[in-house]
């Protein structure tokens, strides 16, 4: 197996005795799109929050590009190359779409540079490209708070994408989207990861979406990894069918 | 681009107005009073930088103002060790000491994974202000206790054998403090309009999101807090030189909360609002206390309550949106319904 970009070992998180994540080992290869599914309360979002550092684990380790990041604060993980779109869209509502993207791309610059200089041509070009990519070029100067729900999701993806991450974590990127918007999102995520330099971990309840977008699937249940494998393997798996898929499709 | 176009209009009128005021106003007392209020306006603008842009309400900003003032008093009256009892050294330390204090305080308040915010920040700063006042009251041998430090010298600058310039009062002080205020205003204006200013507003909007985009919000908040403390300290230093004495209330939460009021009345998050609020509220409290010896606080308090309730964006916010609206109506008439500018909402 190739060196994994992200690996967790025996990762666990308890909330007042409740084991939300209970010894998870997961390894994502470079360029891979990993789908993470499971019933409500399976611990998917908690796992994602552990990876970005929003919460601290009770046990276990997280390595990113071979480096232990378990003790790093969230901003250091972001600068190391981990980008995230949380389940609930969270942007800067009073700032414009352009400003939201600008904020997202310039974090590595120091206070002095940020105070002193306008964005350079490369930054502007990146923002222009990202606006095109997430189809928000026409809404460039609109306050982010005015966008429709689907547009907000896309802006979030753009914000996660623009810093050039190596790992993209997407928690329910298509919730509230129409079928055509969802299909466009499949294309976007596949496109982002097509050159093998960006990996993604995608949580989604929409099973059609997850099947189209993922290379491999991990199924979680009660805080543990139930099954991991290709989409076909997971679909054929009987345990998965009993706890999850059949219920989803019925 | 972040600036309402009307802001420029308003700031130019204000600067011109302040420039000609001493020429038009024949009453020297009034000019001297406004000069003093400029030092309060520095406290107001410092508070607005923290509260208006990063959303952190400091209820203890007078502590920095007072420490600045006490540094001037201490250096010029008591003297530090072998250092000269120089006004300029006092002014330098009136900036340096609050800056250093803010660095330490920021390290204490903002550090840790769960940085304190909101009400806890406000209460902590209030405590700092209260402790500073109590400390100045208690430490009588050094800070003079209740009486503070009187007799701060204000040297005269000799222009010729017949003419002396009394730099620390009257019209000279008016232009000195006014010049400092205007210079700091434009520097801050540039700063809040910069990309770093965008990050400040992002802290105000949605602080929790920023770390996951790669920002250390501790750093952003600390930088703003320290710059703000430095400006408040300079205001206190100038105040001390103008008044000739410093006393414990300058550090206390009474003045701290008044500063919050000035900013709220003038309009939070415009910088200009802090200046307008500081000048107007203080001017009217002085004028009203002269006219109505007992009733003035009730009249002023009532007026402030009405302003804050009726104008949530403050006086400056209200004037700016009035100008904007008038311009929109004009362009609407001239160019028809679809020709108007794309308006910005804050």
């Amino acid at each position: 197996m190739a060196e994994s970009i992200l690996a967790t070992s025996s990762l666990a998180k308890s909330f007042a005795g409740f084991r939300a994540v209970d010894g998870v080992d997961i390894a994502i290869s470079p360029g891979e799109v990993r789908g993470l599914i499971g019933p409500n309360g399976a611990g998917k979002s908690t796992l994602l929050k552990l990876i970005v550092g929003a919460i601290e684990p009770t046990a276990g380790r997280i390595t990113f590009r071979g480096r232990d990041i378990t003790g790093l604060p969230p901003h250091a993980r972001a600068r190391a190359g981990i980008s995230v779109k949380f389940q609930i869209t969270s942007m800067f509502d009073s700032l414009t779409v352009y400003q939201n993207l600008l904020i997202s791309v310039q974090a590595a610059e120091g206070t002095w540079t940020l105070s002193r200089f306008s964005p350079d041509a490369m930054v502007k070009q990146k923002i222009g490209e990202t606006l095109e990519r997430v189809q928000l070029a026409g809404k460039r100067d609109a306050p982010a708070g005015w966008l429709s729900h689907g547009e907000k999701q896309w802006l979030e993806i753009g914000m996660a994408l623009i810093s050039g991450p190596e790992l993209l974590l997407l928690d329910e990127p298509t919730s509230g989207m129409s079928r055509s918007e969802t299909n466009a999102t499949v294309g976007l995520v596949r496109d982002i990861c097509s050159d093998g330099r960006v990996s993604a971990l995608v949580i989604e309840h929409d099973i059609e979406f997850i099947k189209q977008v993922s290379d491999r699937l991990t199924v979680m249940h009660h805080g543990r990894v139930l099954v991991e494998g290709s989409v076909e393997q997971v679909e054929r798996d009987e345990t998965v069918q009993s706890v999850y898929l059949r219920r989803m499709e019925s | 681009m972040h600036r309402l176009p009307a802001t420029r209009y308003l700031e130019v009128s204000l600067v011109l107005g302040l420039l000609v005021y001493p020429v038009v106003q024949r009453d020297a007392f009034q000019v001297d009073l406004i000069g003093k209020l400029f030092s309060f306006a520095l406290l107001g603008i410092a508070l607005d930088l923290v509260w208006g842009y990063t959303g952190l309400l400091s209820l203890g900003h007078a502590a920095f103002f007072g420490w600045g003032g006490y540094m001037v008093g201490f250096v010029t009256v008591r003297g530090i060790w072998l250092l000269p009892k120089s006004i300029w050294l006092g002014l330098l330390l009136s900036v340096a000491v609050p800056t250093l204090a803010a660095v330490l305080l920021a390290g204490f308040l903002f550090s840790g994974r769960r940085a304190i915010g909101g009400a806890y920040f406000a209460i902590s700063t209030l405590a700092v202000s209260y402790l500073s006042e109590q400390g100045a009251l208690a430490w009588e041998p050094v800070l003079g206790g209740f009486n503070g430090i009187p007799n701060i010298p204000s040297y005269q600058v000799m222009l010729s054998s017949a003419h002396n310039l009394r730099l620390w009062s009257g019209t000279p002080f008016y232009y000195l403090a006014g010049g400092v205020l205007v210079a700091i205003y434009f520097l801050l204006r540039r700063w809040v309009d910069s990309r770093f200013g965008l990050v400040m507003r992002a802290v105000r909007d949605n602080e929790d999101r920023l770390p996951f985009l790669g920002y250390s919000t501790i750093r952003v908040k600390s930088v703003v807090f320290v710059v703000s403390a430095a400006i408040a300290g300079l205001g206190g230093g100038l105040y001390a030189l103008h008044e000739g004495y410093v006393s414990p209330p300058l550090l206390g939460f009474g003045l701290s909360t008044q500063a919050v009021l000035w900013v709220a009345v003038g309009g939070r998050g415009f910088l200009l609002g802090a200046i307008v609020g500081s000048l107007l509220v203080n001017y009217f409290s002085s004028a009203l206390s002269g006219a109505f010896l007992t009733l003035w606080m009730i009249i002023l308090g009532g007026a402030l309550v009405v302003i804050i309730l009726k104008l949530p964006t403050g006086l400056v916010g209200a004037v700016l949106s009035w100008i904007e609206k008038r311009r929109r109506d004009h362009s609407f008439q001239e160019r028809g319904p679809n020709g108007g500018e794309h308006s910005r909402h804050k």
Side-chain angles (χ1 to χ4, degrees):
Chain A
M1 199 181 91
E3 172 90 352
S4 49
I5 181 111
L6 178 89
T8 68
S9 66
S10 315
L11 198 63
K13 176 69 186 177
S14 303
F15 297 106
F18 169 69
R19 291 199 282 254
V21 171
D22 190 9
V24 167
D25 297 276
I26 195 170
I28 297 172
S29 311
E32 176 186 353
V33 180
R34 174 71 61 90
L36 183 59
I37 58 173
N40 281 328
K44 309 180 297 287
S45 292
T46 307
L47 178 63
L48 181 135
K49 285 179 186 161
L50 286 168
I51 295 170
V52 296
I55 50 178
E56 286 174 78
T58 12
R61 318 210 69 78
I62 307 163
T63 47
F64 178 63
R65 289 155 62 194
R67 176 176 163 220
D68 190 333
I69 59 162
T70 319
L72 285 187
H75 71 90
R77 298 186 198 198
R79 287 198 196 177
I82 301 179
S83 275
V84 62
K85 185 213 92 69
F86 289 109
Q87 186 174 0
I88 297 161
T89 55
S90 168
M91 52 196 70
F92 308 102
D93 283 347
S94 76
L95 305 185
T96 65
V97 169
Y98 173 87
Q99 288 171 331
N100 270 275
L101 290 171
L102 180 58
I103 290 262
S104 310
V105 74
Q106 65 176 15
E109 296 180 50
T111 305
W112 177 249
T113 327
L114 289 179
S115 304
R116 188 76 187 76
F117 302 105
S118 309
D120 61 32
M122 209 177 76
V123 166
K124 285 182 180 161
Q125 190 196 337
K126 266 190 196 167
I127 296 176
E129 284 167 10
T130 307
L131 280 170
E132 293 294 332
R133 211 162 180 188
V134 298
Q135 302 179 19
L136 286 171
K139 299 271 168 89
R140 183 183 183 278
D141 294 319
W146 290 11
L147 298 181
S148 75
H149 191 74
E151 287 169 337
K152 281 184 180 172
Q153 297 273 33
W154 277 54
L155 176 56
E156 282 262 14
I157 295 174
M159 287 165 70
L161 185 63
I162 195 168
S163 57
E166 290 183 54
L167 178 65
L168 195 60
L169 304 167
L170 302 172
D171 195 347
E172 302 198 5
T174 68
S175 76
M177 280 188 182
S178 66
R179 188 38 56 191
S180 66
E181 284 174 325
T182 302
N183 289 338
T185 309
V186 172
L188 179 63
V189 175
R190 294 264 29 140
D191 178 46
I192 292 164
C193 300
S194 61
D195 61 2
R197 276 183 304 167
V198 185
S199 315
L201 178 65
V202 185
I203 299 175
E204 187 52 79
H205 281 294
D206 182 337
I207 210 74
E208 281 311 309
F209 172 78
I210 212 86
K211 272 165 34 182
Q212 288 175 48
V213 85
S214 310
D215 299 312
R216 283 170 75 79
L217 287 179
T218 296
V219 186
M220 281 183 76
H221 189 51
H222 291 325
R224 291 168 176 275
V225 172
L226 190 68
V227 178
E228 190 179 304
S230 69
V231 175
E232 296 74 30
Q233 282 169 335
V234 169
E235 272 189 312
R236 282 200 305 271
D237 191 283
E238 285 182 13
T239 10
V240 174
Q241 291 204 355
S242 67
V243 304
Y244 188 59
L245 285 179
R246 190 172 296 158
R247 204 166 61 203
M248 290 291 292
E249 281 163 1
S250 63
Chain B
M1 191 178 69
H2 325 303
R3 179 168 44 214
L4 297 166
T7 310
R8 183 43 57 88
Y9 189 71
L10 214 57
E11 62 196 19
V12 168
S13 343
L14 188 72
V15 170
L16 286 179
L18 291 178
L19 261 178
V20 299
Y21 180 76
V23 182
V24 184
Q25 175 62 265
R26 306 309 300 175
D27 185 350
F29 173 78
Q30 296 292 338
V31 176
D32 189 61
L33 171 71
I34 304 288
K36 175 176 88 174
L37 300 192
F38 286 153
S39 63
F40 283 143
L42 284 169
L43 172 59
I45 206 171
L47 178 66
D48 192 31
L49 183 67
V50 174
W51 183 32
Y53 287 87
T54 63
L56 288 165
L57 174 57
S58 166
L59 288 180
H61 245 55
F64 300 122
F65 185 84
W67 285 337
Y70 265 93
M71 284 322 295
V72 165
F74 192 77
V75 169
T76 56
V77 177
R78 305 260 198 279
I80 298 180
W81 198 38
L82 296 174
L83 294 173
K85 293 183 175 180
S86 149
I87 282 179
W88 303 109
L89 180 67
L91 271 180
L92 184 73
L93 289 180
S94 77
V95 177
V97 168
T99 302
L100 195 67
V103 169
L104 297 174
L105 207 56
F108 178 68
L109 290 176
F110 300 134
S111 68
R113 216 160 197 185
R114 276 249 155 265
I116 61 161
Y120 293 101
F121 177 80
I123 292 165
S124 308
T125 49
L126 190 144
V128 167
S129 181
Y130 180 75
L131 287 176
S132 301
E133 187 178 12
Q134 294 303 315
L137 277 168
W139 203 8
E140 197 168 344
V142 179
L143 299 179
F146 182 78
N147 293 320
I149 305 177
N151 302 321
I152 294 171
S154 48
Y155 304 119
Q156 302 183 356
V157 179
M158 297 276 282
L159 292 182
S160 69
S161 55
H163 294 89
N164 288 336
L165 181 66
R166 298 178 66 236
L167 188 56
W168 306 108
S169 62
T171 311
F173 184 79
Y174 177 99
Y175 282 114
L176 175 76
V180 168
L181 177 65
V182 168
I184 286 181
Y185 168 78
F186 282 105
L187 282 173
L188 288 183
R189 177 88 254 160
R190 249 199 92 162
W191 199 35
V192 300
D193 282 349
S194 76
R195 291 189 292 151
F196 189 78
L198 203 59
V199 181
M200 293 182 207
R201 284 163 58 196
V203 169
R204 187 181 66 187
D205 246 25
N206 190 352
E207 182 181 345
D208 294 340
R209 183 72 174 95
L210 279 172
F212 304 103
L213 295 171
Y215 291 93
S216 160
T217 50
I218 297 170
R219 199 190 168 85
V220 176
K221 288 189 293 187
S222 300
V223 167
V224 176
F225 190 63
V226 168
V227 169
S228 169
I231 294 167
L234 179 61
L238 288 172
Y239 176 90
L241 285 168
H242 180 265
E243 294 296 288
Y245 78 98
V246 288
S247 57
L250 285 184
L251 295 151
F253 69 77
L255 184 59
S256 293
T257 44
Q258 281 179 46
V260 173
L261 198 67
W262 308 336
V263 176
V265 166
R268 170 190 165 205
F270 298 103
L271 295 179
L272 202 57
I275 296 180
V276 170
S278 306
L279 296 183
L280 285 185
V281 174
N282 283 297
Y283 182 80
F284 280 107
S285 62
S286 161
L288 286 171
S289 65
F292 309 94
L293 274 177
T294 48
L295 277 175
W296 72 274
M297 278 187 141
I298 298 171
I299 299 172
L300 183 70
L304 296 183
V305 169
V306 170
I307 291 174
I308 289 172
L309 289 179
K310 290 287 167 195
L311 306 173
T313 55
L315 293 170
V316 165
V319 171
L320 286 178
S321 46
W322 179 74
I323 297 176
E324 285 283 293
K325 187 178 175 304
R326 244 178 50 132
R327 288 191 183 163
R328 261 207 311 279
D329 291 349
H330 268 282
S331 59
F332 187 81
Q333 283 167 8
E334 282 163 17
R335 287 184 267 170
N338 299 320
E341 274 177 82
H342 183 67
S343 64
R344 249 196 109 254
H345 283 245
K346 278 200 86 126

